[in-house]
Every structure is written in C-alpha cells, then in structure tokens.
Amino acid sequence: DARVTQTPRHKVTEMGQEVTMRCQPILGHNTVFWYRQTMMQGLELLAYFRNRAPLDDSGMPKDRFSAEMPDATLATLKIQPSEPRDSAVYFCASGLGSGITSTDTQYFGPGTRLTVL
Amino acid sequence: DQQVKQNSPSLSVQEGRISILNCDYTNSMFDYFLWYKKYPAEGPTFLISISSIKDKNEDGRFTVFLNKSAKHLSLHIVPSQPGDSAVYFCAASDGYQFYFGTGTSLTVIP
C-alpha cells in the first residue's frame, strides 16, 4: 500500500529555532507539493517540485523558508528561524505529472503539526 | 485572496439523508476540480473529480456537479453515513497548480 510519509508527525519548538520537516513521496511519483493548513486560509501551496526541480515556491516566505529535494525519495521543508505564526499543519503530497501541468491527483501525507512557542 | 471558497465551515446531516457541500471559485481559467476528504490527524484523500467539459460526475454515493456559468460546484453524498463525517476540501486547478478551499466539516448524525 503505497503512501506518502512525513516526519516528524508533531514538533514543538521555541521561536528562533530551526525546524526541518521531511517527506518521502510515493515511489515513482515525480511531483512533490508542500502545503500549509491554517484555519483562515485552508490549504496554502508553499512550493512544488517536478523531477526534483523546484517549479514554484512563490507561496513561501523566502527569508525563512526553504524547500529542497536532495533525491527522488526525500523532500525537505526547513524554517529558520521559526516564528509563532508558523504554527500550522504542514502537508506533503506527491503525484504524477507531465509537461508543465500539475498532476490530476495528489496523494497527501499525514502532515506534520508544528507548534512554535 | 481566496480563489476557491467554501462558505459553510460546518454542516450536520441525519444519517440516510443527502449531504450537499458547496464550493465557489472566481478564476474562469480553472478547468479541473476535485474534492478531498480529511479525517483528523490524517492527510486529505482524493474523493472525486470533474473536468470542466462535464457538468456531472458520479461515483457510488458521491456525485459532483459543476455549474461553470455560476462558477460553482457541489458535492452530493446520498445516502449519508456516519463514516462520512470528515472535513471536505474542494480544489481547483488551472493546469499549473491547485487551489484549495478552507474546508467544510461534515457531521453525519446516526
């Protein structure tokens, strides 16, 4: 049963600390998305990758957030320094895409619940 | 600026009755629409989709309707079951990325 995995599931940290969230996409999927879920905005797209190359990261605060795909089996989202307003659930999703279009179905991981005190 | 809106944060329905979840969008370039279902502490899971060339798509108890002129789509669940209690997100794609609504929490009362 292929699924997207995310670690850690929960993270509590203090303001100013670095936070790294990891995602393992479904094997064979070539597109990876990072979302942030908040009460007011729903699911916000932060960044996405196609074949490990970043296609769009316009949703991320550039000064503190960074997203990478060191290899096809790992995507990371880093926040440095973290702030209380970053507290949210962060989801990773993967899918199969071609050309410049997004995938028609995304498969989500269970999310990382981040609390910044 | 929310391009996809779900104006009802919550909905309660009696078991066996119809649940109707609504979604409105503003971007006429959206050509593909999806509904996701999310249980607590889990990621959203794909439920049903519809292309803009159709106005209806049915899968078992779930039917999605698309009204392009009104920029409105809805998800009908008939009959509703307690296991359908979850948060439902609608999403729209412009072929480049997906835009999600804020979700509607559905409670099906036994």
Side-chain angles (χ1 to χ4, degrees), chain B residues 17-49:
Chain B
R17 306 295 288 268
I18 183 171
S19 295
I20 300 176
L21 296 98
N22 294 304
C23 180
D24 297 293
Y25 61 95
T26 58
N27 189 341
S28 57
M29 297 302 292
F30 290 152
D31 60 1
Y32 191 72
F33 304 86
L34 307 90
W35 283 94
Y36 280 83
K37 178 179 179 179
K38 182 184 178 307
Y39 291 118
E42 295 183 12
T45 55
F46 171 74
L47 190 58
I48 192 169
S49 63

PDB file of all heavy atoms in Angstrom, chain B residues 17-49:
ATOM      1  N   ARG B  17     -29.839  10.754   4.965  1.00  0.00           N
ATOM      2  CA  ARG B  17     -30.279  11.900   4.171  1.00  0.00           C
ATOM      3  C   ARG B  17     -29.162  12.329   3.229  1.00  0.00           C
ATOM      4  O   ARG B  17     -28.051  11.788   3.255  1.00  0.00           O
ATOM      5  CB  ARG B  17     -30.661  13.057   5.091  1.00  0.00           C
ATOM      6  CG  ARG B  17     -31.691  12.695   6.152  1.00  0.00           C
ATOM      7  CD  ARG B  17     -33.030  12.322   5.546  1.00  0.00           C
ATOM      8  NE  ARG B  17     -33.733  13.477   5.017  1.00  0.00           N
ATOM      9  CZ  ARG B  17     -34.606  14.194   5.711  1.00  0.00           C
ATOM     10  NH1 ARG B  17     -34.850  13.912   6.981  1.00  0.00           N
ATOM     11  NH2 ARG B  17     -35.238  15.203   5.148  1.00  0.00           N
ATOM     12  N   ILE B  18     -29.452  13.337   2.427  1.00  0.00           N
ATOM     13  CA  ILE B  18     -28.455  13.836   1.483  1.00  0.00           C
ATOM     14  C   ILE B  18     -27.606  14.921   2.143  1.00  0.00           C
ATOM     15  O   ILE B  18     -28.108  15.769   2.871  1.00  0.00           O
ATOM     16  CB  ILE B  18     -29.147  14.392   0.213  1.00  0.00           C
ATOM     17  CG1 ILE B  18     -28.109  14.850  -0.810  1.00  0.00           C
ATOM     18  CG2 ILE B  18     -30.097  15.535   0.557  1.00  0.00           C
ATOM     19  CD1 ILE B  18     -28.710  15.203  -2.162  1.00  0.00           C
ATOM     20  N   SER B  19     -26.306  14.852   1.884  1.00  0.00           N
ATOM     21  CA  SER B  19     -25.389  15.927   2.274  1.00  0.00           C
ATOM     22  C   SER B  19     -25.008  16.682   1.012  1.00  0.00           C
ATOM     23  O   SER B  19     -24.655  16.066   0.002  1.00  0.00           O
ATOM     24  CB  SER B  19     -24.118  15.373   2.913  1.00  0.00           C
ATOM     25  OG  SER B  19     -24.388  14.726   4.121  1.00  0.00           O
ATOM     26  N   ILE B  20     -25.086  17.998   1.087  1.00  0.00           N
ATOM     27  CA  ILE B  20     -24.689  18.835  -0.049  1.00  0.00           C
ATOM     28  C   ILE B  20     -23.637  19.817   0.418  1.00  0.00           C
ATOM     29  O   ILE B  20     -23.902  20.656   1.289  1.00  0.00           O
ATOM     30  CB  ILE B  20     -25.889  19.588  -0.647  1.00  0.00           C
ATOM     31  CG1 ILE B  20     -26.953  18.592  -1.129  1.00  0.00           C
ATOM     32  CG2 ILE B  20     -25.430  20.481  -1.813  1.00  0.00           C
ATOM     33  CD1 ILE B  20     -28.214  19.251  -1.647  1.00  0.00           C
ATOM     34  N   LEU B  21     -22.459  19.691  -0.150  1.00  0.00           N
ATOM     35  CA  LEU B  21     -21.363  20.600   0.192  1.00  0.00           C
ATOM     36  C   LEU B  21     -21.090  21.489  -1.014  1.00  0.00           C
ATOM     37  O   LEU B  21     -21.026  21.006  -2.144  1.00  0.00           O
ATOM     38  CB  LEU B  21     -20.102  19.809   0.568  1.00  0.00           C
ATOM     39  CG  LEU B  21     -20.247  18.959   1.824  1.00  0.00           C
ATOM     40  CD1 LEU B  21     -20.549  17.518   1.480  1.00  0.00           C
ATOM     41  CD2 LEU B  21     -18.983  19.029   2.654  1.00  0.00           C
ATOM     42  N   ASN B  22     -20.929  22.762  -0.748  1.00  0.00           N
ATOM     43  CA  ASN B  22     -20.809  23.732  -1.827  1.00  0.00           C
ATOM     44  C   ASN B  22     -19.433  24.381  -1.895  1.00  0.00           C
ATOM     45  O   ASN B  22     -18.736  24.485  -0.880  1.00  0.00           O
ATOM     46  CB  ASN B  22     -21.865  24.826  -1.661  1.00  0.00           C
ATOM     47  CG  ASN B  22     -23.258  24.294  -1.836  1.00  0.00           C
ATOM     48  OD1 ASN B  22     -23.591  23.704  -2.857  1.00  0.00           O
ATOM     49  ND2 ASN B  22     -24.102  24.491  -0.828  1.00  0.00           N
ATOM     50  N   CYS B  23     -19.113  24.826  -3.094  1.00  0.00           N
ATOM     51  CA  CYS B  23     -17.816  25.439  -3.339  1.00  0.00           C
ATOM     52  C   CYS B  23     -17.967  26.451  -4.469  1.00  0.00           C
ATOM     53  O   CYS B  23     -18.621  26.155  -5.480  1.00  0.00           O
ATOM     54  CB  CYS B  23     -16.820  24.339  -3.706  1.00  0.00           C
ATOM     55  SG  CYS B  23     -15.140  24.881  -4.041  1.00  0.00           S
ATOM     56  N   ASP B  24     -17.400  27.627  -4.291  1.00  0.00           N
ATOM     57  CA  ASP B  24     -17.433  28.658  -5.323  1.00  0.00           C
ATOM     58  C   ASP B  24     -16.015  29.047  -5.703  1.00  0.00           C
ATOM     59  O   ASP B  24     -15.111  29.001  -4.868  1.00  0.00           O
ATOM     60  CB  ASP B  24     -18.174  29.904  -4.814  1.00  0.00           C
ATOM     61  CG  ASP B  24     -19.620  29.621  -4.507  1.00  0.00           C
ATOM     62  OD1 ASP B  24     -20.377  29.339  -5.454  1.00  0.00           O
ATOM     63  OD2 ASP B  24     -19.992  29.647  -3.319  1.00  0.00           O
ATOM     64  N   TYR B  25     -15.830  29.417  -6.950  1.00  0.00           N
ATOM     65  CA  TYR B  25     -14.499  29.821  -7.384  1.00  0.00           C
ATOM     66  C   TYR B  25     -14.595  31.088  -8.219  1.00  0.00           C
ATOM     67  O   TYR B  25     -15.680  31.452  -8.712  1.00  0.00           O
ATOM     68  CB  TYR B  25     -13.794  28.705  -8.151  1.00  0.00           C
ATOM     69  CG  TYR B  25     -14.490  28.249  -9.413  1.00  0.00           C
ATOM     70  CD1 TYR B  25     -14.146  28.777 -10.660  1.00  0.00           C
ATOM     71  CD2 TYR B  25     -15.482  27.264  -9.360  1.00  0.00           C
ATOM     72  CE1 TYR B  25     -14.768  28.348 -11.817  1.00  0.00           C
ATOM     73  CE2 TYR B  25     -16.118  26.834 -10.517  1.00  0.00           C
ATOM     74  CZ  TYR B  25     -15.759  27.375 -11.736  1.00  0.00           C
ATOM     75  OH  TYR B  25     -16.377  26.953 -12.884  1.00  0.00           O
ATOM     76  N   THR B  26     -13.487  31.767  -8.344  1.00  0.00           N
ATOM     77  CA  THR B  26     -13.502  33.058  -9.036  1.00  0.00           C
ATOM     78  C   THR B  26     -12.741  33.046 -10.357  1.00  0.00           C
ATOM     79  O   THR B  26     -12.984  33.892 -11.215  1.00  0.00           O
ATOM     80  CB  THR B  26     -12.894  34.153  -8.143  1.00  0.00           C
ATOM     81  OG1 THR B  26     -11.558  33.771  -7.783  1.00  0.00           O
ATOM     82  CG2 THR B  26     -13.718  34.347  -6.876  1.00  0.00           C
ATOM     83  N   ASN B  27     -11.856  32.095 -10.542  1.00  0.00           N
ATOM     84  CA  ASN B  27     -10.976  32.103 -11.714  1.00  0.00           C
ATOM     85  C   ASN B  27     -11.585  31.278 -12.856  1.00  0.00           C
ATOM     86  O   ASN B  27     -11.723  30.066 -12.744  1.00  0.00           O
ATOM     87  CB  ASN B  27      -9.608  31.527 -11.321  1.00  0.00           C
ATOM     88  CG  ASN B  27      -8.556  31.688 -12.392  1.00  0.00           C
ATOM     89  OD1 ASN B  27      -8.876  31.904 -13.560  1.00  0.00           O
ATOM     90  ND2 ASN B  27      -7.306  31.578 -12.002  1.00  0.00           N
ATOM     91  N   SER B  28     -11.917  31.924 -13.943  1.00  0.00           N
ATOM     92  CA  SER B  28     -12.537  31.220 -15.066  1.00  0.00           C
ATOM     93  C   SER B  28     -11.545  30.315 -15.801  1.00  0.00           C
ATOM     94  O   SER B  28     -11.935  29.549 -16.680  1.00  0.00           O
ATOM     95  CB  SER B  28     -13.134  32.231 -16.051  1.00  0.00           C
ATOM     96  OG  SER B  28     -12.132  33.121 -16.501  1.00  0.00           O
ATOM     97  N   MET B  29     -10.267  30.404 -15.447  1.00  0.00           N
ATOM     98  CA  MET B  29      -9.265  29.542 -16.080  1.00  0.00           C
ATOM     99  C   MET B  29      -9.210  28.152 -15.444  1.00  0.00           C
ATOM    100  O   MET B  29      -8.544  27.259 -15.955  1.00  0.00           O
ATOM    101  CB  MET B  29      -7.878  30.193 -15.995  1.00  0.00           C
ATOM    102  CG  MET B  29      -7.774  31.501 -16.735  1.00  0.00           C
ATOM    103  SD  MET B  29      -8.180  31.329 -18.477  1.00  0.00           S
ATOM    104  CE  MET B  29      -6.812  30.333 -19.053  1.00  0.00           C
ATOM    105  N   PHE B  30      -9.866  27.982 -14.324  1.00  0.00           N
ATOM    106  CA  PHE B  30      -9.879  26.661 -13.694  1.00  0.00           C
ATOM    107  C   PHE B  30     -10.591  25.673 -14.611  1.00  0.00           C
ATOM    108  O   PHE B  30     -11.684  25.938 -15.117  1.00  0.00           O
ATOM    109  CB  PHE B  30     -10.592  26.696 -12.348  1.00  0.00           C
ATOM    110  CG  PHE B  30      -9.848  27.431 -11.265  1.00  0.00           C
ATOM    111  CD1 PHE B  30     -10.532  28.051 -10.230  1.00  0.00           C
ATOM    112  CD2 PHE B  30      -8.456  27.480 -11.254  1.00  0.00           C
ATOM    113  CE1 PHE B  30      -9.845  28.715  -9.218  1.00  0.00           C
ATOM    114  CE2 PHE B  30      -7.768  28.156 -10.264  1.00  0.00           C
ATOM    115  CZ  PHE B  30      -8.470  28.773  -9.245  1.00  0.00           C
ATOM    116  N   ASP B  31      -9.961  24.521 -14.829  1.00  0.00           N
ATOM    117  CA  ASP B  31     -10.556  23.548 -15.742  1.00  0.00           C
ATOM    118  C   ASP B  31     -10.659  22.148 -15.148  1.00  0.00           C
ATOM    119  O   ASP B  31     -11.057  21.202 -15.833  1.00  0.00           O
ATOM    120  CB  ASP B  31      -9.777  23.504 -17.061  1.00  0.00           C
ATOM    121  CG  ASP B  31      -8.317  23.116 -16.851  1.00  0.00           C
ATOM    122  OD1 ASP B  31      -7.918  22.857 -15.697  1.00  0.00           O
ATOM    123  OD2 ASP B  31      -7.567  23.076 -17.845  1.00  0.00           O
ATOM    124  N   TYR B  32     -10.279  22.018 -13.908  1.00  0.00           N
ATOM    125  CA  TYR B  32     -10.328  20.692 -13.282  1.00  0.00           C
ATOM    126  C   TYR B  32     -10.590  20.908 -11.809  1.00  0.00           C
ATOM    127  O   TYR B  32      -9.971  21.767 -11.180  1.00  0.00           O
ATOM    128  CB  TYR B  32      -9.010  19.965 -13.518  1.00  0.00           C
ATOM    129  CG  TYR B  32      -9.026  18.507 -13.158  1.00  0.00           C
ATOM    130  CD1 TYR B  32      -9.708  17.594 -13.944  1.00  0.00           C
ATOM    131  CD2 TYR B  32      -8.342  18.036 -12.044  1.00  0.00           C
ATOM    132  CE1 TYR B  32      -9.726  16.260 -13.631  1.00  0.00           C
ATOM    133  CE2 TYR B  32      -8.355  16.695 -11.721  1.00  0.00           C
ATOM    134  CZ  TYR B  32      -9.047  15.802 -12.515  1.00  0.00           C
ATOM    135  OH  TYR B  32      -9.062  14.473 -12.208  1.00  0.00           O
ATOM    136  N   PHE B  33     -11.523  20.118 -11.270  1.00  0.00           N
ATOM    137  CA  PHE B  33     -11.966  20.336  -9.897  1.00  0.00           C
ATOM    138  C   PHE B  33     -11.983  19.005  -9.155  1.00  0.00           C
ATOM    139  O   PHE B  33     -12.310  17.960  -9.735  1.00  0.00           O
ATOM    140  CB  PHE B  33     -13.379  20.952  -9.892  1.00  0.00           C
ATOM    141  CG  PHE B  33     -13.473  22.222 -10.682  1.00  0.00           C
ATOM    142  CD1 PHE B  33     -13.723  22.183 -12.051  1.00  0.00           C
ATOM    143  CD2 PHE B  33     -13.282  23.454 -10.074  1.00  0.00           C
ATOM    144  CE1 PHE B  33     -13.791  23.352 -12.794  1.00  0.00           C
ATOM    145  CE2 PHE B  33     -13.353  24.621 -10.815  1.00  0.00           C
ATOM    146  CZ  PHE B  33     -13.600  24.568 -12.172  1.00  0.00           C
ATOM    147  N   LEU B  34     -11.616  19.069  -7.894  1.00  0.00           N
ATOM    148  CA  LEU B  34     -11.546  17.846  -7.104  1.00  0.00           C
ATOM    149  C   LEU B  34     -12.162  18.090  -5.725  1.00  0.00           C
ATOM    150  O   LEU B  34     -12.220  19.219  -5.241  1.00  0.00           O
ATOM    151  CB  LEU B  34     -10.095  17.411  -6.888  1.00  0.00           C
ATOM    152  CG  LEU B  34      -9.180  17.265  -8.086  1.00  0.00           C
ATOM    153  CD1 LEU B  34      -8.463  18.568  -8.383  1.00  0.00           C
ATOM    154  CD2 LEU B  34      -8.144  16.183  -7.824  1.00  0.00           C
ATOM    155  N   TRP B  35     -12.577  17.008  -5.122  1.00  0.00           N
ATOM    156  CA  TRP B  35     -12.973  17.017  -3.718  1.00  0.00           C
ATOM    157  C   TRP B  35     -12.069  16.062  -2.968  1.00  0.00           C
ATOM    158  O   TRP B  35     -11.786  14.948  -3.426  1.00  0.00           O
ATOM    159  CB  TRP B  35     -14.427  16.582  -3.551  1.00  0.00           C
ATOM    160  CG  TRP B  35     -15.413  17.640  -3.915  1.00  0.00           C
ATOM    161  CD1 TRP B  35     -16.019  17.808  -5.129  1.00  0.00           C
ATOM    162  CD2 TRP B  35     -15.910  18.689  -3.071  1.00  0.00           C
ATOM    163  NE1 TRP B  35     -16.866  18.894  -5.099  1.00  0.00           N
ATOM    164  CE2 TRP B  35     -16.819  19.449  -3.851  1.00  0.00           C
ATOM    165  CE3 TRP B  35     -15.688  19.063  -1.747  1.00  0.00           C
ATOM    166  CZ2 TRP B  35     -17.498  20.554  -3.341  1.00  0.00           C
ATOM    167  CZ3 TRP B  35     -16.370  20.149  -1.244  1.00  0.00           C
ATOM    168  CH2 TRP B  35     -17.261  20.888  -2.027  1.00  0.00           C
ATOM    169  N   TYR B  36     -11.610  16.521  -1.808  1.00  0.00           N
ATOM    170  CA  TYR B  36     -10.801  15.706  -0.923  1.00  0.00           C
ATOM    171  C   TYR B  36     -11.545  15.584   0.399  1.00  0.00           C
ATOM    172  O   TYR B  36     -12.251  16.495   0.833  1.00  0.00           O
ATOM    173  CB  TYR B  36      -9.435  16.352  -0.667  1.00  0.00           C
ATOM    174  CG  TYR B  36      -8.431  16.156  -1.770  1.00  0.00           C
ATOM    175  CD1 TYR B  36      -8.429  16.981  -2.884  1.00  0.00           C
ATOM    176  CD2 TYR B  36      -7.478  15.150  -1.694  1.00  0.00           C
ATOM    177  CE1 TYR B  36      -7.500  16.806  -3.896  1.00  0.00           C
ATOM    178  CE2 TYR B  36      -6.541  14.972  -2.699  1.00  0.00           C
ATOM    179  CZ  TYR B  36      -6.568  15.802  -3.790  1.00  0.00           C
ATOM    180  OH  TYR B  36      -5.651  15.629  -4.793  1.00  0.00           O
ATOM    181  N   LYS B  37     -11.298  14.477   1.051  1.00  0.00           N
ATOM    182  CA  LYS B  37     -11.892  14.196   2.356  1.00  0.00           C
ATOM    183  C   LYS B  37     -10.761  14.056   3.362  1.00  0.00           C
ATOM    184  O   LYS B  37      -9.734  13.438   3.063  1.00  0.00           O
ATOM    185  CB  LYS B  37     -12.668  12.882   2.245  1.00  0.00           C
ATOM    186  CG  LYS B  37     -13.319  12.371   3.483  1.00  0.00           C
ATOM    187  CD  LYS B  37     -14.047  11.076   3.111  1.00  0.00           C
ATOM    188  CE  LYS B  37     -14.713  10.454   4.284  1.00  0.00           C
ATOM    189  NZ  LYS B  37     -15.430   9.209   3.896  1.00  0.00           N
ATOM    190  N   LYS B  38     -10.958  14.636   4.531  1.00  0.00           N
ATOM    191  CA  LYS B  38      -9.878  14.588   5.516  1.00  0.00           C
ATOM    192  C   LYS B  38     -10.429  14.203   6.880  1.00  0.00           C
ATOM    193  O   LYS B  38     -11.305  14.876   7.435  1.00  0.00           O
ATOM    194  CB  LYS B  38      -9.186  15.951   5.600  1.00  0.00           C
ATOM    195  CG  LYS B  38      -8.007  15.958   6.566  1.00  0.00           C
ATOM    196  CD  LYS B  38      -7.407  17.326   6.694  1.00  0.00           C
ATOM    197  CE  LYS B  38      -6.256  17.326   7.690  1.00  0.00           C
ATOM    198  NZ  LYS B  38      -6.603  16.765   9.000  1.00  0.00           N
ATOM    199  N   TYR B  39      -9.841  13.132   7.431  1.00  0.00           N
ATOM    200  CA  TYR B  39     -10.126  12.742   8.805  1.00  0.00           C
ATOM    201  C   TYR B  39      -9.099  13.401   9.720  1.00  0.00           C
ATOM    202  O   TYR B  39      -7.996  13.741   9.289  1.00  0.00           O
ATOM    203  CB  TYR B  39     -10.060  11.231   8.971  1.00  0.00           C
ATOM    204  CG  TYR B  39     -11.168  10.480   8.265  1.00  0.00           C
ATOM    205  CD1 TYR B  39     -10.868   9.575   7.242  1.00  0.00           C
ATOM    206  CD2 TYR B  39     -12.497  10.645   8.625  1.00  0.00           C
ATOM    207  CE1 TYR B  39     -11.871   8.871   6.596  1.00  0.00           C
ATOM    208  CE2 TYR B  39     -13.504   9.947   7.986  1.00  0.00           C
ATOM    209  CZ  TYR B  39     -13.187   9.064   6.974  1.00  0.00           C
ATOM    210  OH  TYR B  39     -14.190   8.368   6.336  1.00  0.00           O
ATOM    211  N   PRO B  40      -9.446  13.563  11.007  1.00  0.00           N
ATOM    212  CA  PRO B  40      -8.492  14.158  11.954  1.00  0.00           C
ATOM    213  C   PRO B  40      -7.174  13.392  11.973  1.00  0.00           C
ATOM    214  O   PRO B  40      -7.160  12.158  11.888  1.00  0.00           O
ATOM    215  CB  PRO B  40      -9.221  14.053  13.304  1.00  0.00           C
ATOM    216  CG  PRO B  40     -10.664  14.006  12.954  1.00  0.00           C
ATOM    217  CD  PRO B  40     -10.755  13.278  11.650  1.00  0.00           C
ATOM    218  N   ALA B  41      -6.098  14.110  12.066  1.00  0.00           N
ATOM    219  CA  ALA B  41      -4.741  13.557  12.168  1.00  0.00           C
ATOM    220  C   ALA B  41      -4.325  12.766  10.926  1.00  0.00           C
ATOM    221  O   ALA B  41      -3.373  11.976  10.985  1.00  0.00           O
ATOM    222  CB  ALA B  41      -4.591  12.684  13.414  1.00  0.00           C
ATOM    223  N   GLU B  42      -5.020  12.948   9.838  1.00  0.00           N
ATOM    224  CA  GLU B  42      -4.624  12.307   8.580  1.00  0.00           C
ATOM    225  C   GLU B  42      -4.550  13.353   7.488  1.00  0.00           C
ATOM    226  O   GLU B  42      -5.118  14.446   7.610  1.00  0.00           O
ATOM    227  CB  GLU B  42      -5.633  11.232   8.168  1.00  0.00           C
ATOM    228  CG  GLU B  42      -5.703  10.054   9.111  1.00  0.00           C
ATOM    229  CD  GLU B  42      -6.664   8.995   8.594  1.00  0.00           C
ATOM    230  OE1 GLU B  42      -7.079   9.080   7.417  1.00  0.00           O
ATOM    231  OE2 GLU B  42      -6.999   8.090   9.364  1.00  0.00           O
ATOM    232  N   GLY B  43      -3.835  13.022   6.404  1.00  0.00           N
ATOM    233  CA  GLY B  43      -3.817  13.916   5.263  1.00  0.00           C
ATOM    234  C   GLY B  43      -5.090  13.781   4.453  1.00  0.00           C
ATOM    235  O   GLY B  43      -5.816  12.794   4.559  1.00  0.00           O
ATOM    236  N   PRO B  44      -5.399  14.789   3.623  1.00  0.00           N
ATOM    237  CA  PRO B  44      -6.567  14.693   2.738  1.00  0.00           C
ATOM    238  C   PRO B  44      -6.424  13.512   1.781  1.00  0.00           C
ATOM    239  O   PRO B  44      -5.325  13.204   1.328  1.00  0.00           O
ATOM    240  CB  PRO B  44      -6.543  16.029   1.981  1.00  0.00           C
ATOM    241  CG  PRO B  44      -5.715  16.947   2.819  1.00  0.00           C
ATOM    242  CD  PRO B  44      -4.699  16.076   3.481  1.00  0.00           C
ATOM    243  N   THR B  45      -7.526  12.873   1.478  1.00  0.00           N
ATOM    244  CA  THR B  45      -7.535  11.796   0.490  1.00  0.00           C
ATOM    245  C   THR B  45      -8.480  12.163  -0.643  1.00  0.00           C
ATOM    246  O   THR B  45      -9.564  12.708  -0.417  1.00  0.00           O
ATOM    247  CB  THR B  45      -7.954  10.447   1.105  1.00  0.00           C
ATOM    248  OG1 THR B  45      -9.216  10.627   1.749  1.00  0.00           O
ATOM    249  CG2 THR B  45      -6.945   9.963   2.109  1.00  0.00           C
ATOM    250  N   PHE B  46      -8.064  11.828  -1.830  1.00  0.00           N
ATOM    251  CA  PHE B  46      -8.845  12.148  -3.021  1.00  0.00           C
ATOM    252  C   PHE B  46     -10.181  11.416  -2.992  1.00  0.00           C
ATOM    253  O   PHE B  46     -10.253  10.227  -2.667  1.00  0.00           O
ATOM    254  CB  PHE B  46      -8.047  11.758  -4.263  1.00  0.00           C
ATOM    255  CG  PHE B  46      -8.833  11.835  -5.535  1.00  0.00           C
ATOM    256  CD1 PHE B  46      -9.138  13.064  -6.092  1.00  0.00           C
ATOM    257  CD2 PHE B  46      -9.266  10.681  -6.159  1.00  0.00           C
ATOM    258  CE1 PHE B  46      -9.856  13.135  -7.267  1.00  0.00           C
ATOM    259  CE2 PHE B  46      -9.992  10.745  -7.328  1.00  0.00           C
ATOM    260  CZ  PHE B  46     -10.290  11.973  -7.881  1.00  0.00           C
ATOM    261  N   LEU B  47     -11.242  12.142  -3.354  1.00  0.00           N
ATOM    262  CA  LEU B  47     -12.581  11.560  -3.330  1.00  0.00           C
ATOM    263  C   LEU B  47     -13.165  11.449  -4.737  1.00  0.00           C
ATOM    264  O   LEU B  47     -13.510  10.370  -5.196  1.00  0.00           O
ATOM    265  CB  LEU B  47     -13.470  12.433  -2.451  1.00  0.00           C
ATOM    266  CG  LEU B  47     -14.860  11.922  -2.073  1.00  0.00           C
ATOM    267  CD1 LEU B  47     -14.756  10.593  -1.365  1.00  0.00           C
ATOM    268  CD2 LEU B  47     -15.563  12.954  -1.194  1.00  0.00           C
ATOM    269  N   ILE B  48     -13.264  12.548  -5.424  1.00  0.00           N
ATOM    270  CA  ILE B  48     -13.890  12.563  -6.735  1.00  0.00           C
ATOM    271  C   ILE B  48     -13.465  13.828  -7.464  1.00  0.00           C
ATOM    272  O   ILE B  48     -13.129  14.832  -6.832  1.00  0.00           O
ATOM    273  CB  ILE B  48     -15.441  12.488  -6.601  1.00  0.00           C
ATOM    274  CG1 ILE B  48     -16.103  12.205  -7.955  1.00  0.00           C
ATOM    275  CG2 ILE B  48     -15.998  13.758  -5.949  1.00  0.00           C
ATOM    276  CD1 ILE B  48     -17.602  11.870  -7.818  1.00  0.00           C
ATOM    277  N   SER B  49     -13.464  13.759  -8.786  1.00  0.00           N
ATOM    278  CA  SER B  49     -13.051  14.921  -9.568  1.00  0.00           C
ATOM    279  C   SER B  49     -14.004  15.138 -10.734  1.00  0.00           C
ATOM    280  O   SER B  49     -14.834  14.276 -11.057  1.00  0.00           O
ATOM    281  CB  SER B  49     -11.628  14.728 -10.099  1.00  0.00           C
ATOM    282  OG  SER B  49     -11.585  13.618 -10.993  1.00  0.00           O
TER     283      SER B  49
END
